Amino acid sequence: MHKLIEPTAQGEGPASPRPRPPAIEPGRDALFLDLDGTLAAIRPHPGDVGPEARRTELLRRLAERLSGRLAVVTGRSLEEADRILDGACGPLAAVHGLVVRGPDGQLDTPEASAAVAQARQALTDFAEERDGLLIEDKGVSVGLHFRGAPDLQGEAERLGHALAERHGLVAQPGDMVFELRQPGADKGSAVRRLMALELFEGYRPIFVGDDLTDEDGFAAAQDLGGHAVLVGAREPSGADYGLSDVEAVFAWLEEAVA
């Protein structure tokens, strides 16, 4: 999901109530990273986030250090994730796990359903009649952003829940956004699918994320013998460890490739 809070310099963000995660062990670990709020600074508009040389180089070095056992797991579309990551990450789960790309580049993606199209039209009609709303179309999901019109949050969420029930879609509330997506996957199922592949099998998964949608990824990593790292001070969370902000994530990851 897309939030407005800008990352702060390391040590300036809210203190995490959890201990800092231990160092990554390249011969033992597989790493799963959320994108927005974890690897990328949060911006007012989703399209404002773009490639950054530091991030691109770090991901390429991490992938080499981990022998390819690095995946980004995001709510973004695959195309948007690749644009922001500048092609630095091969294995990738997009749209909250609905779209999964393996290490060999093979893509597993469902056909966009008529239900999503119907919900998209209803949300678009709603947004066109009001100022400050933004529709984000990901094909197999659609999001309604209301950060520009916070007074419409209640009305937007009521509409979203009604459409989810009417069309059999998954309601995915976020920070000033409400998303409707096809059922059948989440970030946890994406972690499990990737961990079942030969490249990842038998390694310890570490999932790093900041948003409520990352809790499924946290639980999957823990169930598979790994651990979870929460970025920020959001509560409640099932994460074992914590990092204060995006800059703290970068610092921790850079220690693994130093």
Side-chain angles (χ1 to χ4, degrees):
M1 295 300 161
H2 310 294
K3 300 163 282 292
L4 184 59
I5 303 169
E6 293 286 349
T8 57
Q10 188 177 8
E12 294 181 2
S16 172
R18 293 170 175 77
R20 191 174 190 267
I24 296 166
E25 299 182 37
R28 181 184 183 188
D29 293 333
L31 194 56
F32 298 87
L33 303 173
D34 174 44
L35 179 47
D36 291 282
T38 299
L39 286 176
I42 305 304
R43 303 297 185 191
H45 188 288
D48 293 341
V49 180
E52 293 180 1
R54 180 186 178 192
R55 182 198 307 124
T56 299
E57 178 63 17
L58 174 58
L59 290 176
R60 287 177 176 158
R61 292 172 66 193
L62 277 170
E64 181 178 359
R65 192 89 165 93
L66 292 165
S67 300
R69 296 185 304 277
L70 169 69
V72 168
V73 183
T74 177
R76 294 265 188 173
S77 69
L78 182 69
E79 294 77 14
E80 275 292 281
D82 277 340
R83 177 186 67 82
I84 295 166
L85 299 172
D86 202 19
C89 191
L92 198 150
V95 199
H96 308 288
L98 281 170
V99 177
V100 177
R101 183 174 65 205
D104 59 357
Q106 184 173 346
L107 195 62
D108 186 357
T109 181
E111 292 290 331
S113 70
V116 172
Q118 292 167 345
R120 182 185 304 113
Q121 186 59 58
L123 292 177
T124 299
D125 292 343
F126 179 81
E128 287 178 347
E129 295 172 357
R130 296 159 179 85
D131 293 330
L133 300 177
L134 171 68
I135 298 293
E136 185 180 11
D137 186 0
K138 304 177 188 176
V140 292
S141 80
V142 59
L144 175 64
H145 294 258
F146 42 83
R147 186 172 298 282
D151 56 312
L152 295 176
Q153 178 172 354
E155 190 177 357
E157 290 183 343
R158 285 191 294 273
L159 174 61
H161 282 296
L163 290 171
E165 184 174 356
R166 183 183 310 159
H167 298 294
L169 298 171
V170 176
Q172 188 77 71
D175 190 347
M176 304 305 287
V177 62
F178 196 98
E179 189 167 352
L180 294 169
R181 59 184 175 85
Q182 295 177 197
D186 56 35
K187 290 188 176 183
S189 65
V191 169
R192 294 179 186 279
R193 287 171 66 182
L194 288 168
M195 284 296 295
L197 299 177
E198 183 178 359
L199 178 63
F200 290 86
E201 191 174 12
Y203 287 86
R204 180 178 65 175
I206 302 172
F207 194 104
V208 187
D210 73 309
D211 209 346
L212 183 62
T213 59
D214 296 312
E215 293 294 327
D216 293 320
F218 291 170
Q222 291 163 333
D223 288 347
L224 294 169
H227 54 257
V229 182
L230 175 68
V231 182
R234 176 183 55 79
E235 293 292 350
S237 174
D240 311 284
Y241 300 98
L243 292 165
S244 60
D245 50 32
V246 174
E247 179 62 29
V249 173
F250 272 60
W252 177 67
L253 294 174
E254 285 170 341
E255 291 173 5
V257 296

